[in-house]
Amino acid sequence: MRLYTYVSKGRVRLGAERDGRLIELPFPDMRALICAGRAGLAKARSILRMAPQRVGVPVSRARLLGPLPAPGKILCSGLNYRSHIDENPDAKFLSDPRFFGKFNNCVIGPGEPIRHPGPEYKVDYEVELAVVVGRRMFRASEDVVMGRIFGYTIFNDVSSRWIQFKDANEMMGKNFDTFAPMGPCIVTADEIPDPSVLGLRLKLNGQVMQDGTNRDWCFPLPRLISWLSSAMTFDPGDIVTTGTPAGIGYFRSPQVFLKPGDTCSLEIDQIGRLENPVVAIGSTRHR
């Protein structure tokens, strides 16, 4: 299933796509559906199958929000593509996966603007596959991880490289408001049995900047999540991203950074496209 959070008649709703239309599901939000587990998915599939033809809102006309507007933990994988390590003169291959956190204040949905703080902040883009956790995990072995994934979505790990690198302040540089566009939907795990074969791309104003495949991962998905779960408990609705391929703006020559008026368009096979404009919010620097 392809699951969306959207606004219709002034109310936030949860829907599943059928033939280009959104069929509303009787759950208060995406997290409630995730927590309902297999029974919840079975109910959603039954509703989708039994709904009358031509009912629902066309996806093309719906106002979409981030599919999980307020996720729990967001853990982002760094340096997980060989091509991204190769383009970074200071990077090296790691013995264990590396992660940093983002907060849910960063999350925006399709079409919502990335708020640009000013050119000196060197705002950059990263296309990433995001994994939505479906069942609680703690110290999960690699062989059980895939059975506890709810689904997948597209994630733009927007960063202020100036903040990130000038004082090794990755946490602040990654956590500006609106720096985590996500969507347009969550595709349930049964629809993507092998995420390691997916291709992913990012276009900036129509120009391809990143074009890679998850076959380039340094650490496969079960390894990433098993490693994280050795330290912390994952709950339904948490997000884990899987890194980005080569082509980020910071390592281009000349460098390319986002600016107001730009449009970022991200695509991942079998999921869809996530597009966001970039708008100015002022450039006052605080010291």
Side-chain angles (χ1 to χ4, degrees):
M1 281 187 298
R2 305 174 67 84
L3 301 166
Y4 294 79
T5 298
Y6 65 106
V7 176
S8 179
K9 297 181 179 179
R11 186 166 70 84
V12 177
R13 303 168 192 262
L14 178 67
E17 183 180 357
R18 188 189 66 186
D19 299 329
R21 303 177 77 88
L22 294 175
I23 309 301
E24 186 175 359
L25 301 176
F27 296 88
D29 53 33
M30 189 74 74
R31 188 188 296 273
L33 173 57
I34 296 169
C35 289
R38 294 174 182 171
L41 285 173
K43 182 176 182 179
R45 290 189 180 101
S46 176
I47 291 169
L48 198 61
R49 185 173 59 252
M50 300 299 292
Q53 293 296 315
R54 305 298 297 170
V55 73
V57 179
V59 176
S60 59
R61 286 199 250 158
R63 180 189 159 204
L64 302 179
L65 304 180
L68 260 173
K73 295 183 285 295
I74 305 174
L75 279 300
C76 299
S77 176
L79 301 178
N80 194 40
Y81 282 73
R82 295 172 183 87
S83 62
H84 184 41
I85 293 174
D86 288 343
E87 73 175 346
N88 181 347
D90 298 319
K92 62 181 181 180
F93 287 91
L94 305 174
S95 58
D96 290 303
R98 173 184 177 276
F99 285 90
F100 56 87
K102 296 191 90 150
F103 305 118
N104 60 24
N105 64 285
C106 303
V107 174
I108 56 174
E112 294 186 71
I114 299 167
R115 293 166 53 195
H116 194 286
E120 66 268 38
Y121 286 85
K122 299 181 178 179
V123 180
D124 207 347
Y125 53 80
E126 294 183 18
V127 59
E128 306 204 8
L129 176 72
V131 178
V132 183
V133 174
R135 294 171 57 194
R136 177 166 286 194
M137 283 186 274
F138 178 65
R139 296 198 168 183
S141 61
E142 293 183 31
D143 62 323
V144 305
V145 165
M146 299 304 288
R148 299 186 183 185
I149 290 172
F150 179 79
Y152 305 95
T153 189
I154 304 172
F155 191 93
N156 190 351
D157 175 22
V158 182
S159 311
S160 164
R161 302 299 187 194
W162 177 66
I163 294 289
Q164 179 182 354
F165 292 131
K166 79 180 189 73
D167 295 315
N169 194 350
E170 186 171 50
M171 184 62 74
M172 181 176 171
K174 295 284 189 176
N175 277 286
F176 282 51
D177 288 349
T178 76
F179 273 21
M182 184 163 55
C185 61
I186 293 173
V187 178
T188 52
D190 60 299
E191 299 281 341
I192 303 177
D194 187 2
S196 70
V197 302
L198 299 178
L200 62 172
R201 294 158 295 280
L202 183 144
K203 296 178 183 178
L204 180 59
N205 303 323
Q207 180 180 350
V208 176
M209 308 300 282
Q210 294 181 278
D211 188 356
T213 171
N214 292 341
R215 295 184 189 276
D216 194 32
W217 278 342
C218 297
F219 301 104
L221 186 51
R223 174 84 164 92
L224 289 177
I225 295 180
S226 177
W227 172 251
L228 275 174
S229 77
S230 70
M232 65 189 74
T233 301
F234 279 97
D235 294 307
D238 287 345
I239 298 288
V240 179
T241 78
T242 54
T244 198
I248 69 167
Y250 188 83
F251 293 122
R252 288 181 168 270
S253 182
Q255 293 179 322
V256 175
F257 296 115
L258 300 181
K259 63 186 184 302
D262 285 346
T263 298
C264 266
S265 181
L266 289 67
E267 298 176 357
I268 297 183
D269 297 345
Q270 301 182 51
I271 298 177
R273 184 177 67 186
L274 171 65
E275 190 167 283
N276 297 88
V278 181
V279 302
I281 59 167
S283 58
T284 300
R285 182 184 295 177
H286 296 276
R287 296 189 182 277

